[in-house]
Amino acid sequence: MKASGGRRRLWRRILVVWAVAVIGGGVLTLRLQASAEPPPPTGWYNSEHGGQAPAPPPSAGSSTPPCPTAGDGRAVLCAYATTP
């Protein structure tokens, strides 16, 4: 009878050690995944409306005309070409 109780205790300890190892490995995996996320791409920033948008173009020289604006508040796309 005593040997049977000793085996149960041994198996219970083995099970507890195994469960702690599995839980610890899971926590470690989640922690390492969160820290391994790549940084946001350069050239992008958070816009005023909460989403991501391309960074504004670098300041254009004085020879570049200003970007026109829409009178009714619609978005306007400006493209500038430069020669190398």
Side-chain angles (χ1 to χ4, degrees):
M1 182 91 167
K2 185 169 176 142
S4 171
R7 281 190 199 149
R8 283 185 184 170
R9 201 172 321 144
L10 176 65
W11 280 109
R12 189 175 299 149
R13 287 182 182 173
I14 290 172
L15 181 66
V16 167
V17 168
W18 176 81
V20 168
V22 168
I23 291 171
V27 168
L28 185 63
T29 300
L30 291 175
R31 177 79 51 123
L32 290 175
Q33 277 182 340
S35 66
E37 291 180 3
T42 56
W44 286 76
Y45 70 103
N46 289 331
S47 68
E48 300 163 354
H49 304 293
Q52 290 189 345
S59 61
S62 60
S63 62
T64 306
C67 187
T69 58
D72 56 358
R74 291 183 299 157
V76 176
L77 177 66
C78 295
Y80 298 103
T82 60
T83 56

